[in-house]
Structures are given as C-alpha cells and as structure tokens.
PDB file of all heavy atoms in Angstrom:
ATOM      1  N   VAL A 594     -10.884   4.451  13.477  1.00 87.00           N
ATOM      2  CA  VAL A 594      -9.709   4.929  12.764  1.00 87.00           C
ATOM      3  C   VAL A 594      -8.587   3.925  12.789  1.00 87.00           C
ATOM      4  O   VAL A 594      -7.855   3.783  11.763  1.00 87.00           O
ATOM      5  CB  VAL A 594      -9.226   6.330  13.491  1.00 87.00           C
ATOM      6  CG1 VAL A 594      -7.972   6.787  12.797  1.00 87.00           C
ATOM      7  CG2 VAL A 594     -10.328   7.336  13.263  1.00 87.00           C
ATOM      8  N   ARG A 595      -8.434   3.209  13.850  1.00 91.00           N
ATOM      9  CA  ARG A 595      -7.404   2.151  13.806  1.00 91.00           C
ATOM     10  C   ARG A 595      -7.715   1.088  12.832  1.00 91.00           C
ATOM     11  O   ARG A 595      -6.827   0.570  12.146  1.00 91.00           O
ATOM     12  CB  ARG A 595      -7.287   1.476  15.224  1.00 91.00           C
ATOM     13  CG  ARG A 595      -6.651   2.432  16.279  1.00 91.00           C
ATOM     14  CD  ARG A 595      -6.623   1.799  17.689  1.00 91.00           C
ATOM     15  NE  ARG A 595      -6.001   2.709  18.653  1.00 91.00           N
ATOM     16  CZ  ARG A 595      -6.177   2.637  19.932  1.00 91.00           C
ATOM     17  NH1 ARG A 595      -6.753   1.518  20.450  1.00 91.00           N
ATOM     18  NH2 ARG A 595      -5.533   3.484  20.755  1.00 91.00           N
ATOM     19  N   VAL A 596      -8.935   0.762  12.589  1.00 92.00           N
ATOM     20  CA  VAL A 596      -9.335  -0.197  11.538  1.00 92.00           C
ATOM     21  C   VAL A 596      -9.019   0.434  10.188  1.00 92.00           C
ATOM     22  O   VAL A 596      -8.509  -0.314   9.347  1.00 92.00           O
ATOM     23  CB  VAL A 596     -10.816  -0.507  11.710  1.00 92.00           C
ATOM     24  CG1 VAL A 596     -11.258  -1.385  10.520  1.00 92.00           C
ATOM     25  CG2 VAL A 596     -11.192  -1.238  13.058  1.00 92.00           C
ATOM     26  N   LYS A 597      -9.284   1.738  10.066  1.00 92.00           N
ATOM     27  CA  LYS A 597      -9.030   2.328   8.816  1.00 92.00           C
ATOM     28  C   LYS A 597      -7.474   2.372   8.515  1.00 92.00           C
ATOM     29  O   LYS A 597      -7.066   2.348   7.388  1.00 92.00           O
ATOM     30  CB  LYS A 597      -9.597   3.854   8.833  1.00 92.00           C
ATOM     31  CG  LYS A 597     -11.127   3.933   8.673  1.00 92.00           C
ATOM     32  CD  LYS A 597     -11.469   5.412   8.700  1.00 92.00           C
ATOM     33  CE  LYS A 597     -13.006   5.561   8.634  1.00 92.00           C
ATOM     34  NZ  LYS A 597     -13.515   5.279   7.304  1.00 92.00           N
ATOM     35  N   ILE A 598      -6.712   2.524   9.520  1.00 93.00           N
ATOM     36  CA  ILE A 598      -5.306   2.583   9.435  1.00 93.00           C
ATOM     37  C   ILE A 598      -4.758   1.256   8.796  1.00 93.00           C
ATOM     38  O   ILE A 598      -3.835   1.306   7.955  1.00 93.00           O
ATOM     39  CB  ILE A 598      -4.585   2.878  10.736  1.00 93.00           C
ATOM     40  CG1 ILE A 598      -4.780   4.355  11.071  1.00 93.00           C
ATOM     41  CG2 ILE A 598      -3.063   2.556  10.612  1.00 93.00           C
ATOM     42  CD1 ILE A 598      -4.263   4.690  12.480  1.00 93.00           C
ATOM     43  N   THR A 599      -5.360   0.157   9.200  1.00 94.00           N
ATOM     44  CA  THR A 599      -4.990  -1.093   8.568  1.00 94.00           C
ATOM     45  C   THR A 599      -5.261  -1.088   7.071  1.00 94.00           C
ATOM     46  O   THR A 599      -4.573  -1.796   6.270  1.00 94.00           O
ATOM     47  CB  THR A 599      -5.606  -2.390   9.220  1.00 94.00           C
ATOM     48  OG1 THR A 599      -7.010  -2.262   9.057  1.00 94.00           O
ATOM     49  CG2 THR A 599      -5.324  -2.374  10.700  1.00 94.00           C
ATOM     50  N   ARG A 600      -6.365  -0.407   6.641  1.00 95.00           N
ATOM     51  CA  ARG A 600      -6.578  -0.264   5.193  1.00 95.00           C
ATOM     52  C   ARG A 600      -5.547   0.653   4.536  1.00 95.00           C
ATOM     53  O   ARG A 600      -5.089   0.348   3.473  1.00 95.00           O
ATOM     54  CB  ARG A 600      -8.056   0.349   5.018  1.00 95.00           C
ATOM     55  CG  ARG A 600      -8.365   0.622   3.616  1.00 95.00           C
ATOM     56  CD  ARG A 600      -8.586  -0.665   2.743  1.00 95.00           C
ATOM     57  NE  ARG A 600      -8.762  -0.370   1.295  1.00 95.00           N
ATOM     58  CZ  ARG A 600      -9.188  -1.201   0.430  1.00 95.00           C
ATOM     59  NH1 ARG A 600      -9.440  -2.456   0.780  1.00 95.00           N
ATOM     60  NH2 ARG A 600      -9.247  -0.896  -0.788  1.00 95.00           N
ATOM     61  N   TRP A 601      -5.250   1.776   5.227  1.00 93.00           N
ATOM     62  CA  TRP A 601      -4.259   2.684   4.710  1.00 93.00           C
ATOM     63  C   TRP A 601      -2.871   2.003   4.547  1.00 93.00           C
ATOM     64  O   TRP A 601      -2.154   2.265   3.586  1.00 93.00           O
ATOM     65  CB  TRP A 601      -4.193   3.938   5.451  1.00 93.00           C
ATOM     66  CG  TRP A 601      -5.433   4.724   5.583  1.00 93.00           C
ATOM     67  CD1 TRP A 601      -6.450   4.663   4.701  1.00 93.00           C
ATOM     68  CD2 TRP A 601      -5.803   5.490   6.706  1.00 93.00           C
ATOM     69  NE1 TRP A 601      -7.466   5.472   5.169  1.00 93.00           N
ATOM     70  CE2 TRP A 601      -7.173   5.990   6.351  1.00 93.00           C
ATOM     71  CE3 TRP A 601      -5.215   5.990   7.870  1.00 93.00           C
ATOM     72  CZ2 TRP A 601      -7.835   6.941   7.177  1.00 93.00           C
ATOM     73  CZ3 TRP A 601      -5.888   6.941   8.657  1.00 93.00           C
ATOM     74  CH2 TRP A 601      -7.220   7.324   8.329  1.00 93.00           C
ATOM     75  N   ALA A 602      -2.552   1.098   5.472  1.00 94.00           N
ATOM     76  CA  ALA A 602      -1.280   0.321   5.422  1.00 94.00           C
ATOM     77  C   ALA A 602      -1.261  -0.523   4.119  1.00 94.00           C
ATOM     78  O   ALA A 602      -0.304  -0.552   3.434  1.00 94.00           O
ATOM     79  CB  ALA A 602      -1.139  -0.499   6.671  1.00 94.00           C
ATOM     80  N   PHE A 603      -2.444  -1.205   3.811  1.00 95.00           N
ATOM     81  CA  PHE A 603      -2.464  -1.956   2.640  1.00 95.00           C
ATOM     82  C   PHE A 603      -2.299  -1.102   1.409  1.00 95.00           C
ATOM     83  O   PHE A 603      -1.498  -1.452   0.460  1.00 95.00           O
ATOM     84  CB  PHE A 603      -3.821  -2.656   2.510  1.00 95.00           C
ATOM     85  CG  PHE A 603      -4.360  -2.973   1.098  1.00 95.00           C
ATOM     86  CD1 PHE A 603      -3.604  -3.900   0.354  1.00 95.00           C
ATOM     87  CD2 PHE A 603      -5.318  -2.313   0.513  1.00 95.00           C
ATOM     88  CE1 PHE A 603      -3.981  -4.205  -0.985  1.00 95.00           C
ATOM     89  CE2 PHE A 603      -5.705  -2.621  -0.799  1.00 95.00           C
ATOM     90  CZ  PHE A 603      -5.025  -3.485  -1.564  1.00 95.00           C
ATOM     91  N   GLU A 604      -2.991   0.060   1.379  1.00 96.00           N
ATOM     92  CA  GLU A 604      -2.951   0.886   0.214  1.00 96.00           C
ATOM     93  C   GLU A 604      -1.500   1.442  -0.037  1.00 96.00           C
ATOM     94  O   GLU A 604      -0.999   1.403  -1.153  1.00 96.00           O
ATOM     95  CB  GLU A 604      -3.866   2.108   0.411  1.00 96.00           C
ATOM     96  CG  GLU A 604      -5.328   1.658   0.333  1.00 96.00           C
ATOM     97  CD  GLU A 604      -6.261   2.822   0.647  1.00 96.00           C
ATOM     98  OE1 GLU A 604      -5.740   3.948   1.078  1.00 96.00           O
ATOM     99  OE2 GLU A 604      -7.494   2.657   0.570  1.00 96.00           O
ATOM    100  N   SER A 605      -0.801   1.921   1.041  1.00 96.00           N
ATOM    101  CA  SER A 605       0.548   2.360   0.921  1.00 96.00           C
ATOM    102  C   SER A 605       1.525   1.255   0.421  1.00 96.00           C
ATOM    103  O   SER A 605       2.338   1.416  -0.396  1.00 96.00           O
ATOM    104  CB  SER A 605       1.105   2.915   2.184  1.00 96.00           C
ATOM    105  OG  SER A 605       0.301   4.005   2.634  1.00 96.00           O
ATOM    106  N   LEU A 606       1.335   0.027   1.038  1.00 96.00           N
ATOM    107  CA  LEU A 606       2.170  -1.090   0.636  1.00 96.00           C
ATOM    108  C   LEU A 606       1.968  -1.550  -0.754  1.00 96.00           C
ATOM    109  O   LEU A 606       2.977  -1.889  -1.454  1.00 96.00           O
ATOM    110  CB  LEU A 606       2.073  -2.158   1.711  1.00 96.00           C
ATOM    111  CG  LEU A 606       3.169  -3.219   1.795  1.00 96.00           C
ATOM    112  CD1 LEU A 606       4.513  -2.582   1.929  1.00 96.00           C
ATOM    113  CD2 LEU A 606       2.835  -4.225   2.867  1.00 96.00           C
ATOM    114  N   SER A 607       0.696  -1.568  -1.251  1.00 97.00           N
ATOM    115  CA  SER A 607       0.456  -2.026  -2.545  1.00 97.00           C
ATOM    116  C   SER A 607       0.975  -1.087  -3.585  1.00 97.00           C
ATOM    117  O   SER A 607       1.502  -1.409  -4.602  1.00 97.00           O
ATOM    118  CB  SER A 607      -1.020  -2.225  -2.772  1.00 97.00           C
ATOM    119  OG  SER A 607      -1.767  -1.032  -2.509  1.00 97.00           O
ATOM    120  N   ASP A 608       0.929   0.296  -3.234  1.00 97.00           N
ATOM    121  CA  ASP A 608       1.630   1.282  -4.054  1.00 97.00           C
ATOM    122  C   ASP A 608       3.156   0.938  -4.170  1.00 97.00           C
ATOM    123  O   ASP A 608       3.663   1.052  -5.283  1.00 97.00           O
ATOM    124  CB  ASP A 608       1.408   2.687  -3.490  1.00 97.00           C
ATOM    125  CG  ASP A 608      -0.012   3.199  -3.690  1.00 97.00           C
ATOM    126  OD1 ASP A 608      -0.802   2.513  -4.338  1.00 97.00           O
ATOM    127  OD2 ASP A 608      -0.269   4.333  -3.328  1.00 97.00           O
ATOM    128  N   GLY A 609       3.727   0.816  -3.000  1.00 97.00           N
ATOM    129  CA  GLY A 609       5.227   0.554  -3.000  1.00 97.00           C
ATOM    130  C   GLY A 609       5.603  -0.698  -3.698  1.00 97.00           C
ATOM    131  O   GLY A 609       6.593  -0.739  -4.438  1.00 97.00           O
ATOM    132  N   ALA A 610       4.832  -1.747  -3.400  1.00 97.00           N
ATOM    133  CA  ALA A 610       5.184  -3.034  -4.065  1.00 97.00           C
ATOM    134  C   ALA A 610       4.998  -2.941  -5.578  1.00 97.00           C
ATOM    135  O   ALA A 610       5.788  -3.473  -6.406  1.00 97.00           O
ATOM    136  CB  ALA A 610       4.281  -4.120  -3.531  1.00 97.00           C
ATOM    137  N   THR A 611       3.980  -2.259  -6.073  1.00 98.00           N
ATOM    138  CA  THR A 611       3.747  -2.056  -7.534  1.00 98.00           C
ATOM    139  C   THR A 611       4.965  -1.319  -8.152  1.00 98.00           C
ATOM    140  O   THR A 611       5.417  -1.738  -9.237  1.00 98.00           O
ATOM    141  CB  THR A 611       2.413  -1.280  -7.784  1.00 98.00           C
ATOM    142  OG1 THR A 611       1.374  -2.019  -7.314  1.00 98.00           O
ATOM    143  CG2 THR A 611       2.213  -1.011  -9.278  1.00 98.00           C
ATOM    144  N   THR A 612       5.295  -0.261  -7.579  1.00 97.00           N
ATOM    145  CA  THR A 612       6.449   0.535  -8.085  1.00 97.00           C
ATOM    146  C   THR A 612       7.766  -0.327  -8.080  1.00 97.00           C
ATOM    147  O   THR A 612       8.471  -0.386  -9.140  1.00 97.00           O
ATOM    148  CB  THR A 612       6.666   1.783  -7.263  1.00 97.00           C
ATOM    149  OG1 THR A 612       5.491   2.642  -7.362  1.00 97.00           O
ATOM    150  CG2 THR A 612       7.940   2.546  -7.681  1.00 97.00           C
ATOM    151  N   ALA A 613       8.033  -0.975  -6.944  1.00 97.00           N
ATOM    152  CA  ALA A 613       9.301  -1.733  -6.914  1.00 97.00           C
ATOM    153  C   ALA A 613       9.310  -2.924  -7.850  1.00 97.00           C
ATOM    154  O   ALA A 613      10.392  -3.224  -8.391  1.00 97.00           O
ATOM    155  CB  ALA A 613       9.460  -2.178  -5.444  1.00 97.00           C
ATOM    156  N   VAL A 614       8.235  -3.616  -8.004  1.00 97.00           N
ATOM    157  CA  VAL A 614       8.220  -4.847  -8.858  1.00 97.00           C
ATOM    158  C   VAL A 614       8.306  -4.382 -10.298  1.00 97.00           C
ATOM    159  O   VAL A 614       9.139  -4.918 -11.078  1.00 97.00           O
ATOM    160  CB  VAL A 614       6.862  -5.617  -8.668  1.00 97.00           C
ATOM    161  CG1 VAL A 614       6.591  -6.542  -9.816  1.00 97.00           C
ATOM    162  CG2 VAL A 614       6.889  -6.293  -7.319  1.00 97.00           C
ATOM    163  N   ARG A 615       7.491  -3.383 -10.762  1.00 98.00           N
ATOM    164  CA  ARG A 615       7.609  -2.938 -12.108  1.00 98.00           C
ATOM    165  C   ARG A 615       8.994  -2.436 -12.458  1.00 98.00           C
ATOM    166  O   ARG A 615       9.583  -2.725 -13.490  1.00 98.00           O
ATOM    167  CB  ARG A 615       6.584  -1.902 -12.423  1.00 98.00           C
ATOM    168  CG  ARG A 615       5.173  -2.484 -12.515  1.00 98.00           C
ATOM    169  CD  ARG A 615       4.113  -1.357 -12.706  1.00 98.00           C
ATOM    170  NE  ARG A 615       2.801  -1.919 -12.913  1.00 98.00           N
ATOM    171  CZ  ARG A 615       1.569  -1.177 -12.888  1.00 98.00           C
ATOM    172  NH1 ARG A 615       1.719   0.121 -12.719  1.00 98.00           N
ATOM    173  NH2 ARG A 615       0.504  -1.778 -13.066  1.00 98.00           N
ATOM    174  N   TYR A 616       9.556  -1.583 -11.592  1.00 97.00           N
ATOM    175  CA  TYR A 616      10.903  -1.090 -11.871  1.00 97.00           C
ATOM    176  C   TYR A 616      11.984  -2.080 -11.904  1.00 97.00           C
ATOM    177  O   TYR A 616      12.878  -2.133 -12.669  1.00 97.00           O
ATOM    178  CB  TYR A 616      11.243   0.002 -10.794  1.00 97.00           C
ATOM    179  CG  TYR A 616      12.605   0.586 -11.028  1.00 97.00           C
ATOM    180  CD1 TYR A 616      12.924   1.458 -12.053  1.00 97.00           C
ATOM    181  CD2 TYR A 616      13.626   0.288 -10.080  1.00 97.00           C
ATOM    182  CE1 TYR A 616      14.165   1.876 -12.303  1.00 97.00           C
ATOM    183  CE2 TYR A 616      14.916   0.892 -10.248  1.00 97.00           C
ATOM    184  CZ  TYR A 616      15.131   1.628 -11.404  1.00 97.00           C
ATOM    185  OH  TYR A 616      16.425   2.124 -11.571  1.00 97.00           O
ATOM    186  N   SER A 617      11.805  -3.172 -10.980  1.00 97.00           N
ATOM    187  CA  SER A 617      12.766  -4.236 -10.886  1.00 97.00           C
ATOM    188  C   SER A 617      12.774  -5.150 -12.101  1.00 97.00           C
ATOM    189  O   SER A 617      13.698  -5.813 -12.423  1.00 97.00           O
ATOM    190  CB  SER A 617      12.524  -5.103  -9.633  1.00 97.00           C
ATOM    191  OG  SER A 617      12.648  -4.283  -8.493  1.00 97.00           O
ATOM    192  N   VAL A 618      11.636  -5.090 -12.878  1.00 97.00           N
ATOM    193  CA  VAL A 618      11.539  -5.845 -14.137  1.00 97.00           C
ATOM    194  C   VAL A 618      12.166  -4.946 -15.284  1.00 97.00           C
ATOM    195  O   VAL A 618      12.783  -5.505 -16.175  1.00 97.00           O
ATOM    196  CB  VAL A 618      10.097  -6.168 -14.461  1.00 97.00           C
ATOM    197  CG1 VAL A 618       9.904  -6.612 -15.915  1.00 97.00           C
ATOM    198  CG2 VAL A 618       9.621  -7.266 -13.530  1.00 97.00           C
TER     199      VAL A 618
END
C-alpha cells in the first residue's frame, strides 16, 4: 500500500499540475 501511495501521489499531482498549467495559460 505504501508503494501504491507513491502512485496515488503522482496521480494527484499530475491532476493538479494539469489544472494549474492550463488555467495559468
């Protein structure tokens, strides 16, 4: 589960980065 959490961290951050980058443009 700790290994999976590192995957979930990527997924959440990629979601946030996508939203922030597109909106900032």
